[in-house]
Amino acid sequence: MKNESVAILDVRSGEVSFLLGSKGVNNTFVFSGSDTRTYEGYFVEGFLDETSFRRAVVAAITTVRQHYEGTIHEVYVGVPSAFVSVKTIGHTISFPSKRKISVQDVDALFESGLNALMANGRCIRRSAMYLTLGDNRKYFSIDELYGVSTNMLKGALCYYFIHEGFYNAVSALLRDLGFPKVHFLPSTLAQASYLISQEKRKGYAFMLDVGFLTSSVSVVYGNGLVHEESFNCGTGTIMVSLMENLGIEYAMAEEILAAANISGGSVPKDMLWTTDGEEKSFSVQQINDIIKCELDVLCERVDSFIASRYKDKASAMLTANPICITGEGIGAIKGAAEHISRRLNRLTEIVSPDLPYYDKPAFSSRIGLLSTAIGDIKQNTFWQKIINAFGGKKK
């Protein structure tokens, strides 16, 4: 592609974004085009209206293409957690005698692990929480292994399977739009790798991605996802609750949510939120209570997720780690992170890209995907393939 731009299709539960970007200086990116379109969205059960999704994707891609002089040959699609199944396995391969670890040996470990997993479905990516040799030392960077002599290679391996319905729908659509190559990336993994430092990921890190109709909570360790769960809850469901409880239309619910602030304690009972023309007014306390009630549903799902997997005393250290919160939903509600922290009795930290203009949680998924895609392309360059043929190199 012109200027080595990478095409990204970011699928969220209320909108889709198509962008072209390339690597800039000092860990920045250069953008050649971007367009975002809303659509009916999806729940964990699937798309609410696949036709609406198709229209949004076509409109976004067409708009970017009209203002781009180059030819786009391939596209990287972010697969939301609602359409991804994560499978993990601890796996070991042995060698007849000591040998220096090469790229081929690591590939053999992953292939053997996938066979041992005996999982059905289409695997779109694999990663390792960590790898170890005979001395059981954990290696979080695979590059550190290359050239090290050992007779045993072990790993805590992660495999990411795409739901077939999502794969078929998106593949057919992008094929119709003229893309000969389509790559699928687990969106949560891309976000975690980009937003959470490697040092934090050497322990158990928690990430909560708050979306429009669906949200997800994930446990991140090293370079993999240990557990992940999606559920139907987000800013869209909060707006529905405002509409039902206040008897208002969608546009007003959206306006109220944008103006709301649930940080701090209670507000005076006589404080009112009033429309511009003062035609309608509502109790601020009632508005806040509705929003908090819906956020409590989100918190209950997160709490249940954590409790079901880390309820023994050995996990006390895990509960001390802050929950990294991101997604367009967390930026839409002032004070939401503070409320979640109080409700879960856990420290929270809002994470977003460290980039000018894009330094908002709403941009986390698309920037994370762009960073991952650029990294993939770099690894697959001609010269990298030559290096890999000789066993890889240590950086």
Side-chain angles (χ1 to χ4, degrees), residues 217-238:
V217 59
S218 310
V219 182
V220 187
Y221 188 52
N223 296 308
L225 300 183
V226 187
H227 301 292
E228 182 175 47
E229 184 176 321
S230 297
F231 32 84
N232 298 332
C233 188
T235 51
T237 57
I238 294 174

Side-chain angles (χ1 to χ4, degrees), residues 354-369:
D354 185 17
L355 296 171
Y357 178 74
Y358 292 93
D359 57 346
K360 300 176 180 63
F363 295 112
S364 290
S365 58
R366 68 192 74 173
I367 300 300
L369 290 167

Side-chain angles (χ1 to χ4, degrees), residues 232-379:
N232 298 332
C233 188
T235 51
T237 57
I238 294 174
M239 282 193 284
V240 169
S241 186
L242 287 170
M243 292 165 62
E244 291 176 346
N245 285 278
L246 301 179
I248 58 177
E249 298 297 324
Y250 179 88
M252 185 171 291
E254 191 174 32
E255 185 180 349
I256 288 175
L257 190 63
N261 189 336
I262 61 171
S263 60
S266 60
V267 298
K269 292 183 178 180
D270 58 353
M271 182 179 290
L272 300 176
W273 182 91
T274 308
T275 59
D276 290 339
E278 299 189 357
E279 298 173 358
K280 289 186 177 182
S281 60
F282 305 96
S283 165
V284 172
Q285 184 64 62
Q286 182 185 13
I287 291 171
N288 288 357
D289 286 346
I290 294 170
I291 296 172
K292 289 178 181 179
C293 182
E294 291 300 318
L295 282 176
D296 285 348
V297 174
L298 173 68
C299 292
E300 288 169 4
R301 296 299 300 266
V302 174
D303 190 51
S304 176
F305 169 85
I306 295 174
S308 65
R309 293 164 175 83
Y310 304 103
K311 56 187 175 184
D312 56 22
K313 61 181 181 180
S315 65
M317 180 188 70
L318 303 179
T319 60
N321 295 338
I323 298 177
C324 298
I325 311 180
T326 195
E328 62 273 21
I330 201 63
I333 309 170
K334 300 178 186 69
E338 293 89 336
H339 180 79
I340 293 172
S341 180
R342 289 193 299 268
R343 181 66 173 75
L344 294 176
N345 195 27
R346 293 282 301 267
L347 295 174
T348 59
E349 175 188 0
I350 296 178
V351 290
S352 59
D354 185 17
L355 296 171
Y357 178 74
Y358 292 93
D359 57 346
K360 300 176 180 63
F363 295 112
S364 290
S365 58
R366 68 192 74 173
I367 300 300
L369 290 167
L370 178 60
S371 176
T372 299
I374 289 175
D376 282 4
I377 291 174
K378 181 180 178 181
Q379 289 182 355

Side-chain angles (χ1 to χ4, degrees), residues 161-216:
F161 295 86
I162 188 172
H163 293 193
E164 201 66 18
F166 182 90
Y167 175 85
N168 290 334
V170 176
S171 295
L173 173 57
L174 294 177
R175 191 164 52 246
D176 291 344
L177 289 171
F179 292 102
K181 292 183 180 180
V182 180
H183 311 277
F184 291 90
L185 301 175
S187 184
T188 303
L189 180 65
Q191 289 185 76
S193 300
Y194 177 75
L195 297 172
I196 305 175
S197 69
Q198 188 177 64
E199 195 61 34
K200 284 185 178 180
R201 287 186 276 114
K202 287 182 179 179
Y204 285 89
F206 295 84
M207 190 173 78
L208 174 61
D209 182 0
V210 184
F212 184 70
L213 291 181
T214 68
S215 299
S216 67

